[in-house]
mmCIF file of all heavy atoms in Angstrom:
data_model
loop_
_atom_site.group_PDB
_atom_site.id
_atom_site.type_symbol
_atom_site.label_atom_id
_atom_site.label_comp_id
_atom_site.label_asym_id
_atom_site.label_seq_id
_atom_site.Cartn_x
_atom_site.Cartn_y
_atom_site.Cartn_z
ATOM 1 N N LYS A 344 -8.307 16.980 30.343
ATOM 2 C CA LYS A 344 -8.420 18.434 30.019
ATOM 3 C C LYS A 344 -8.989 19.304 31.119
ATOM 4 O O LYS A 344 -8.471 20.326 31.325
ATOM 5 C CB LYS A 344 -9.326 18.450 28.720
ATOM 6 C CG LYS A 344 -9.506 19.972 28.229
ATOM 7 C CD LYS A 344 -10.289 20.118 27.050
ATOM 8 C CE LYS A 344 -10.507 21.420 26.523
ATOM 9 N NZ LYS A 344 -11.242 21.560 25.290
ATOM 10 N N HIS A 345 -10.056 18.731 31.820
ATOM 11 C CA HIS A 345 -10.838 19.622 32.757
ATOM 12 C C HIS A 345 -10.453 19.336 34.226
ATOM 13 O O HIS A 345 -10.834 20.169 35.163
ATOM 14 C CB HIS A 345 -12.271 19.428 32.485
ATOM 15 C CG HIS A 345 -12.714 19.885 31.158
ATOM 16 N ND1 HIS A 345 -12.759 21.210 30.880
ATOM 17 C CD2 HIS A 345 -13.065 19.228 30.058
ATOM 18 C CE1 HIS A 345 -13.049 21.374 29.608
ATOM 19 N NE2 HIS A 345 -13.360 20.154 29.084
ATOM 20 N N ALA A 346 -9.783 18.262 34.568
ATOM 21 C CA ALA A 346 -9.452 17.840 35.883
ATOM 22 C C ALA A 346 -8.138 17.190 36.045
ATOM 23 O O ALA A 346 -7.926 16.128 36.691
ATOM 24 C CB ALA A 346 -10.620 17.046 36.478
ATOM 25 N N PRO A 347 -7.046 17.730 35.393
ATOM 26 C CA PRO A 347 -5.749 17.002 35.470
ATOM 27 C C PRO A 347 -5.362 16.859 36.952
ATOM 28 O O PRO A 347 -4.680 15.809 37.287
ATOM 29 C CB PRO A 347 -4.851 17.910 34.649
ATOM 30 C CG PRO A 347 -5.524 19.269 34.696
ATOM 31 C CD PRO A 347 -6.937 18.945 34.717
ATOM 32 N N ALA A 348 -5.594 17.855 37.851
ATOM 33 C CA ALA A 348 -5.228 17.779 39.215
ATOM 34 C C ALA A 348 -5.936 16.608 39.902
ATOM 35 O O ALA A 348 -5.257 15.889 40.764
ATOM 36 C CB ALA A 348 -5.615 18.946 40.000
ATOM 37 N N LEU A 349 -7.124 16.168 39.500
ATOM 38 C CA LEU A 349 -7.750 14.949 40.014
ATOM 39 C C LEU A 349 -7.053 13.745 39.639
ATOM 40 O O LEU A 349 -6.752 12.897 40.487
ATOM 41 C CB LEU A 349 -9.198 14.993 39.495
ATOM 42 C CG LEU A 349 -10.014 13.767 40.034
ATOM 43 C CD1 LEU A 349 -10.327 13.887 41.445
ATOM 44 C CD2 LEU A 349 -11.338 13.689 39.246
ATOM 45 N N LEU A 350 -6.633 13.691 38.339
ATOM 46 C CA LEU A 350 -5.893 12.579 37.812
ATOM 47 C C LEU A 350 -4.612 12.480 38.492
ATOM 48 O O LEU A 350 -4.017 11.384 38.800
ATOM 49 C CB LEU A 350 -5.786 12.649 36.383
ATOM 50 C CG LEU A 350 -7.055 12.294 35.627
ATOM 51 C CD1 LEU A 350 -6.875 12.501 34.040
ATOM 52 C CD2 LEU A 350 -7.616 10.983 35.873
ATOM 53 N N ASP A 351 -3.906 13.618 38.750
ATOM 54 C CA ASP A 351 -2.591 13.622 39.453
ATOM 55 C C ASP A 351 -2.705 13.146 40.883
ATOM 56 O O ASP A 351 -1.891 12.395 41.302
ATOM 57 C CB ASP A 351 -1.921 15.043 39.379
ATOM 58 C CG ASP A 351 -1.506 15.506 38.060
ATOM 59 O OD1 ASP A 351 -1.288 14.483 37.127
ATOM 60 O OD2 ASP A 351 -1.387 16.670 37.887
ATOM 61 N N ARG A 352 -3.822 13.567 41.541
ATOM 62 C CA ARG A 352 -3.996 13.240 42.895
ATOM 63 C C ARG A 352 -4.392 11.775 43.078
ATOM 64 O O ARG A 352 -4.030 11.088 44.019
ATOM 65 C CB ARG A 352 -4.987 14.101 43.530
ATOM 66 C CG ARG A 352 -5.177 13.923 45.085
ATOM 67 C CD ARG A 352 -5.940 14.899 45.727
ATOM 68 N NE ARG A 352 -6.224 14.616 47.082
ATOM 69 C CZ ARG A 352 -7.273 15.037 47.860
ATOM 70 N NH1 ARG A 352 -8.151 15.867 47.266
ATOM 71 N NH2 ARG A 352 -7.294 14.701 48.993
ATOM 72 N N PHE A 353 -5.229 11.239 42.215
ATOM 73 C CA PHE A 353 -5.795 9.926 42.172
ATOM 74 C C PHE A 353 -5.454 9.106 40.852
ATOM 75 O O PHE A 353 -6.341 8.927 40.031
ATOM 76 C CB PHE A 353 -7.316 9.944 42.480
ATOM 77 C CG PHE A 353 -7.632 10.636 43.683
ATOM 78 C CD1 PHE A 353 -8.276 11.918 43.553
ATOM 79 C CD2 PHE A 353 -7.495 10.028 44.973
ATOM 80 C CE1 PHE A 353 -8.609 12.624 44.743
ATOM 81 C CE2 PHE A 353 -7.810 10.751 46.146
ATOM 82 C CZ PHE A 353 -8.443 12.040 45.947
ATOM 83 N N PRO A 354 -4.218 8.775 40.634
ATOM 84 C CA PRO A 354 -3.864 8.095 39.373
ATOM 85 C C PRO A 354 -4.581 6.904 39.108
ATOM 86 O O PRO A 354 -4.581 6.386 37.981
ATOM 87 C CB PRO A 354 -2.395 7.901 39.582
ATOM 88 C CG PRO A 354 -1.998 8.020 40.960
ATOM 89 C CD PRO A 354 -3.124 8.888 41.594
ATOM 90 N N PHE A 355 -5.131 6.259 40.132
ATOM 91 C CA PHE A 355 -5.850 4.980 39.894
ATOM 92 C C PHE A 355 -7.160 5.175 39.137
ATOM 93 O O PHE A 355 -7.677 4.256 38.473
ATOM 94 C CB PHE A 355 -6.196 4.324 41.329
ATOM 95 C CG PHE A 355 -7.023 5.192 42.165
ATOM 96 C CD1 PHE A 355 -8.410 5.190 41.989
ATOM 97 C CD2 PHE A 355 -6.382 5.979 43.189
ATOM 98 C CE1 PHE A 355 -9.140 5.967 42.904
ATOM 99 C CE2 PHE A 355 -7.189 6.686 44.057
ATOM 100 C CZ PHE A 355 -8.644 6.713 43.899
ATOM 101 N N ILE A 356 -7.639 6.361 38.849
ATOM 102 C CA ILE A 356 -8.752 6.735 38.042
ATOM 103 C C ILE A 356 -8.487 6.299 36.637
ATOM 104 O O ILE A 356 -9.216 5.613 35.981
ATOM 105 C CB ILE A 356 -9.255 8.162 38.265
ATOM 106 C CG1 ILE A 356 -9.727 8.463 39.563
ATOM 107 C CG2 ILE A 356 -10.315 8.494 37.145
ATOM 108 C CD1 ILE A 356 -10.108 9.921 39.876
ATOM 109 N N GLU A 357 -7.216 6.684 36.213
ATOM 110 C CA GLU A 357 -6.890 6.254 34.757
ATOM 111 C C GLU A 357 -6.644 4.725 34.715
ATOM 112 O O GLU A 357 -7.110 4.115 33.658
ATOM 113 C CB GLU A 357 -5.595 7.010 34.379
ATOM 114 C CG GLU A 357 -5.152 6.568 32.956
ATOM 115 C CD GLU A 357 -3.923 7.268 32.410
ATOM 116 O OE1 GLU A 357 -3.537 8.347 32.883
ATOM 117 O OE2 GLU A 357 -3.372 6.755 31.394
ATOM 118 N N ILE A 358 -6.225 4.154 35.776
ATOM 119 C CA ILE A 358 -6.146 2.557 35.822
ATOM 120 C C ILE A 358 -7.586 1.997 35.658
ATOM 121 O O ILE A 358 -7.700 1.011 34.970
ATOM 122 C CB ILE A 358 -5.414 2.069 36.976
ATOM 123 C CG1 ILE A 358 -3.992 2.685 36.940
ATOM 124 C CG2 ILE A 358 -5.438 0.638 37.179
ATOM 125 C CD1 ILE A 358 -3.168 2.414 38.227
ATOM 126 N N TRP A 359 -8.560 2.595 36.391
ATOM 127 C CA TRP A 359 -9.905 1.994 36.363
ATOM 128 C C TRP A 359 -10.355 2.172 34.960
ATOM 129 O O TRP A 359 -10.980 1.198 34.363
ATOM 130 C CB TRP A 359 -10.776 2.788 37.220
ATOM 131 C CG TRP A 359 -10.651 2.533 38.760
ATOM 132 C CD1 TRP A 359 -10.015 1.446 39.290
ATOM 133 C CD2 TRP A 359 -11.227 3.317 39.823
ATOM 134 N NE1 TRP A 359 -10.177 1.533 40.680
ATOM 135 C CE2 TRP A 359 -10.892 2.599 41.012
ATOM 136 C CE3 TRP A 359 -11.942 4.527 39.801
ATOM 137 C CZ2 TRP A 359 -11.158 3.242 42.171
ATOM 138 C CZ3 TRP A 359 -12.378 4.956 41.157
ATOM 139 C CH2 TRP A 359 -11.920 4.371 42.238
ATOM 140 N N ILE A 360 -10.225 3.423 34.332
ATOM 141 C CA ILE A 360 -10.702 3.607 32.968
ATOM 142 C C ILE A 360 -10.003 2.660 32.019
ATOM 143 O O ILE A 360 -10.610 2.121 31.069
ATOM 144 C CB ILE A 360 -10.676 5.086 32.692
ATOM 145 C CG1 ILE A 360 -11.582 5.781 33.536
ATOM 146 C CG2 ILE A 360 -10.949 5.350 31.086
ATOM 147 C CD1 ILE A 360 -11.426 7.417 33.455
ATOM 148 N N GLY A 361 -8.703 2.595 32.197
ATOM 149 C CA GLY A 361 -7.891 1.764 31.403
ATOM 150 C C GLY A 361 -8.237 0.254 31.415
ATOM 151 O O GLY A 361 -8.263 -0.479 30.474
ATOM 152 N N ASN A 362 -8.546 -0.278 32.700
ATOM 153 C CA ASN A 362 -9.061 -1.687 32.779
ATOM 154 C C ASN A 362 -10.364 -1.864 32.036
ATOM 155 O O ASN A 362 -10.412 -2.945 31.422
ATOM 156 C CB ASN A 362 -9.189 -2.004 34.203
ATOM 157 C CG ASN A 362 -7.834 -2.220 34.967
ATOM 158 O OD1 ASN A 362 -6.848 -2.530 34.308
ATOM 159 N ND2 ASN A 362 -7.888 -2.058 36.267
ATOM 160 N N GLN A 363 -11.280 -0.865 32.019
ATOM 161 C CA GLN A 363 -12.383 -0.988 31.198
ATOM 162 C C GLN A 363 -12.130 -1.110 29.661
ATOM 163 O O GLN A 363 -12.650 -1.789 28.976
ATOM 164 C CB GLN A 363 -13.316 0.188 31.481
ATOM 165 C CG GLN A 363 -14.523 0.155 30.756
ATOM 166 C CD GLN A 363 -15.621 -0.846 31.336
ATOM 167 O OE1 GLN A 363 -15.350 -1.559 32.266
ATOM 168 N NE2 GLN A 363 -16.816 -0.995 30.603
ATOM 169 N N ASP A 364 -11.151 -0.206 29.325
ATOM 170 C CA ASP A 364 -10.714 -0.322 27.863
ATOM 171 C C ASP A 364 -10.104 -1.627 27.516
ATOM 172 O O ASP A 364 -10.458 -2.178 26.448
ATOM 173 C CB ASP A 364 -9.708 0.817 27.617
ATOM 174 C CG ASP A 364 -9.602 1.189 26.160
ATOM 175 O OD1 ASP A 364 -10.469 1.810 25.693
ATOM 176 O OD2 ASP A 364 -8.608 0.842 25.656
ATOM 177 N N ILE A 365 -9.260 -2.059 28.422
ATOM 178 C CA ILE A 365 -8.676 -3.449 28.141
ATOM 179 C C ILE A 365 -9.805 -4.445 27.977
ATOM 180 O O ILE A 365 -9.800 -5.326 27.112
ATOM 181 C CB ILE A 365 -7.679 -3.800 29.306
ATOM 182 C CG1 ILE A 365 -6.488 -2.855 29.280
ATOM 183 C CG2 ILE A 365 -7.338 -5.233 29.236
ATOM 184 C CD1 ILE A 365 -5.646 -2.989 30.536
ATOM 185 N N PHE A 366 -10.741 -4.531 28.922
ATOM 186 C CA PHE A 366 -11.807 -5.510 28.905
ATOM 187 C C PHE A 366 -12.581 -5.379 27.544
ATOM 188 O O PHE A 366 -12.837 -6.358 26.868
ATOM 189 C CB PHE A 366 -12.711 -5.361 30.039
ATOM 190 C CG PHE A 366 -13.947 -6.222 30.055
ATOM 191 C CD1 PHE A 366 -13.771 -7.479 30.503
ATOM 192 C CD2 PHE A 366 -15.163 -5.824 29.454
ATOM 193 C CE1 PHE A 366 -14.901 -8.353 30.410
ATOM 194 C CE2 PHE A 366 -16.234 -6.710 29.473
ATOM 195 C CZ PHE A 366 -16.057 -8.101 29.845
ATOM 196 N N LEU A 367 -12.972 -4.099 27.141
ATOM 197 C CA LEU A 367 -13.804 -3.981 25.928
ATOM 198 C C LEU A 367 -12.989 -4.409 24.608
ATOM 199 O O LEU A 367 -13.536 -5.086 23.822
ATOM 200 C CB LEU A 367 -14.344 -2.524 25.844
ATOM 201 C CG LEU A 367 -15.329 -2.102 26.924
ATOM 202 C CD1 LEU A 367 -15.641 -0.697 26.884
ATOM 203 C CD2 LEU A 367 -16.578 -2.884 26.775
#
Side-chain angles (χ1 to χ4, degrees):
K344 182 176 181 178
H345 299 287
L349 178 71
L350 290 174
D351 289 341
R352 185 170 177 206
F353 304 105
F355 59 84
I356 292 173
E357 182 175 336
I358 294 168
W359 286 345
I360 295 170
N362 285 338
Q363 181 72 4
D364 198 78
I365 291 166
F366 176 83
L367 293 171

